[in-house]
Amino acid sequence: DAGVIQSPRHEVTEMGQEVTLRCKPISGHNSLFWYRQTMMRGLELLIYFNNNVPIDDSGMPEDRFSAKMPNASFSTLKIQPSEPRDSAVYFCASSEQGPGELFFGEGSRLTVL
Amino acid sequence: GENVEQHPSTLSVQEGDSAVIKCTYSDSASNYFPWYKQELGKRPQLIIDIRSNVGEKKDQRIAVTLNKTAKHFSLHITETQPEDSAVYFCAARGFGNEKLTFGTGTRLTIIP
């Protein structure tokens, strides 16, 4: 398996624009997570899905953020409208159900000007 | 919810010496405690994990200890090498919960 695949790897956009980050989890993994990493706040869990169903979105900062998982092999994280404070590295990760290793993607580095 | 605190935030160690990173957690129901290593510009990767029914686990130069009563766990790296330089994150996961809460990270620098 190629691991967790994220796109784009880098995104530079202007304030107010819509940003869509994409993730393909490892085949067979039931759980998918979106994390945001910044120097100030470290690794923050935004939302996670079990079997394509959102379970906990308490980490989503505000209504500008939304996430979907239409099927077992694809998820998106959307920010609309984007703001400079959204600049961060966004990681997608997946795991088999139950306590076990979390496999991270390479991350999407977002810069909002 | 779970809260994980990690210390120190930075650590410099002479090559060959040992490094210790400590974490505390708040949820007594947490039962899974992994450690991740993140090299500069890379993704976090699991290096070792421990479950609540075990007090210590070793893998070559790396060991993790868990004290459930005190709700703290530690990462020990012996005979440190330059390639150990990275940011290390501890994490905790609650019982029946997929959610993994991370500590704030420790930047470890190995001085040649």
Side-chain angles (χ1 to χ4, degrees):
Chain A
D1 201 310
V4 176
I5 300 173
Q6 290 186 247
S7 65
R9 292 292 312 282
H10 301 274
E11 174 93 4
V12 180
T13 190
E14 292 189 346
M15 184 173 64
Q17 296 298 306
E18 178 179 294
V19 173
T20 299
L21 308 179
R22 297 172 177 81
C23 176
K24 182 181 187 314
I26 292 173
S27 178
H29 282 189
N30 301 101
S31 300
L32 183 140
F33 305 79
W34 282 100
Y35 282 90
R36 177 172 68 176
Q37 186 173 37
T38 60
M39 289 293 293
M40 292 299 295
R41 301 173 69 92
L43 272 166
E44 300 175 275
L45 178 65
L46 300 178
I47 185 171
Y48 79 93
F49 297 82
N50 267 358
N51 296 316
N52 314 339
V53 176
I55 302 300
D56 185 342
D57 65 353
S58 58
M60 296 286 260
E62 48 200 273
D63 292 344
R64 298 184 298 106
F65 285 68
S66 63
K68 292 182 180 179
M69 191 165 185
N71 57 62
S73 59
F74 184 66
S75 177
T76 59
L77 178 67
K78 188 174 291 187
I79 308 172
Q80 166 63 15
S82 58
E83 296 182 3
R85 60 194 168 117
D86 301 331
S87 297
V89 179
Y90 292 81
F91 284 103
C92 176
S94 70
S95 71
E96 296 176 345
Q97 202 147 4
E101 182 172 359
L102 210 57
F103 291 84
F104 284 83
E106 301 268 20
S108 293
R109 180 175 295 276
L110 172 65
T111 302
V112 183
L113 303 174
Chain B
E2 177 68 273
N3 183 46
V4 178
E5 294 191 358
Q6 183 171 349
H7 301 280
S9 56
T10 61
L11 179 62
S12 293
V13 171
Q14 207 71 33
E15 183 178 352
D17 288 349
S18 296
V20 180
I21 303 170
K22 299 181 179 182
C23 288
T24 60
Y25 60 98
S26 60
D27 185 357
S28 56
S30 290
N31 65 351
Y32 176 66
F33 307 92
W35 286 87
Y36 283 78
K37 175 182 179 182
Q38 186 178 26
E39 297 176 353
L40 189 62
K42 301 284 183 67
R43 74 187 91 185
Q45 291 189 289
L46 181 72
I47 55 171
I48 194 167
D49 57 11
I50 191 168
R51 298 175 194 273
S52 58
N53 58 345
V54 175
E56 183 176 358
K57 184 176 178 181
K58 270 188 174 181
D59 183 3
Q60 299 183 339
R61 297 186 297 108
I62 294 173
V64 58
T65 58
L66 171 65
N67 183 327
K68 282 186 64 181
T69 304
K71 290 190 285 187
H72 69 69
F73 56 113
S74 301
L75 177 72
H76 305 252
I77 306 174
T78 58
E79 299 172 20
T80 53
Q81 300 169 4
E83 54 264 36
D84 295 329
S85 293
V87 178
Y88 291 81
F89 292 93
C90 63
R93 177 178 281 159
F95 177 77
N97 187 343
E98 308 293 336
K99 187 174 176 177
L100 198 60
T101 301
F102 283 86
T104 48
T106 297
R107 181 174 299 279
L108 175 64
T109 302
I110 307 302
I111 304 165

